[in-house]
Amino acid sequence: MLIGLVVVAAVVAGGGWAVQQAVGSAASAPPNSQQMWIALGAMAAVGLILGLVVAGRVSPLAAFVPSMVLLAWTVIYALDVNRALSLIPSEPSVNQIIRDAGFGAKTMLTTGVFALLGVALFIPVLMPSRWSRQRDDMDEEYEPASESTYY
């Protein structure tokens, strides 16, 4: 479950910050290449974390927790836009980095990226092999029956 919370933080904060930096860099007249490379690197790191959770052999809760958070936030956005957007920190008293992450999260929420990521993270939860225990060769220890016994 702790891994799931880390994934939520990576997607919302790290991904939001990266999106905001990439959009801000692309909007400037001569794009700031250093800022763009840093934003793309942060996006790649978030993608790596998501890929490890989706494809890796970790607890299914590691994918279930972030999928439910992202899908629930998307449903709240579909039902009540103002309430969903009020969850994003945007006050001037908040640190600039957190505000940038919030603006990027708003962009991802309003464009449907959170819904896409939520569904992508939910698919591995449906696979029964994720819920079964890993088999170990030492689990199946048996003693061969001696020839002199009846059973």
Side-chain angles (χ1 to χ4, degrees):
M1 189 148 148
L2 184 62
I3 296 172
L5 295 175
V6 170
V7 172
V8 170
V11 169
V12 174
W17 179 85
V19 165
Q20 180 63 23
Q21 295 300 315
V23 168
S25 178
S28 64
N32 184 353
S33 63
Q34 182 181 9
Q35 185 178 5
M36 182 64 83
W37 281 110
I38 293 171
L40 290 175
M43 285 183 206
V46 171
L48 178 68
I49 292 171
L50 287 173
L52 289 174
V53 168
V54 169
R57 186 83 173 143
V58 293
S59 171
L61 288 176
F64 184 70
V65 170
S67 71
M68 286 296 105
V69 169
L70 296 175
L71 290 174
W73 202 357
T74 303
V75 168
I76 292 170
Y77 177 74
L79 297 176
D80 189 3
V81 175
N82 292 329
R83 178 166 297 214
L85 295 179
S86 71
L87 298 173
I88 299 170
S90 60
E91 294 83 21
S93 62
V94 177
N95 191 340
Q96 182 63 36
I97 295 172
I98 295 174
R99 271 190 305 206
D100 287 346
F103 290 137
K106 178 180 176 182
T107 302
M108 290 193 297
L109 177 65
T110 57
T111 57
V113 174
F114 280 172
L116 174 97
L117 292 175
V119 171
L121 285 166
F122 188 71
I123 296 299
V125 175
L126 299 176
M127 295 180 190
S129 63
R130 293 290 293 255
W131 292 93
S132 66
R133 193 170 69 107
Q134 280 185 333
R135 297 191 69 193
D136 191 12
D137 292 338
M138 300 303 287
D139 286 345
E140 296 183 14
E141 292 182 16
Y142 66 92
E143 295 181 21
S146 64
E147 296 177 18
S148 64
T149 62
Y150 214 17
Y151 294 100

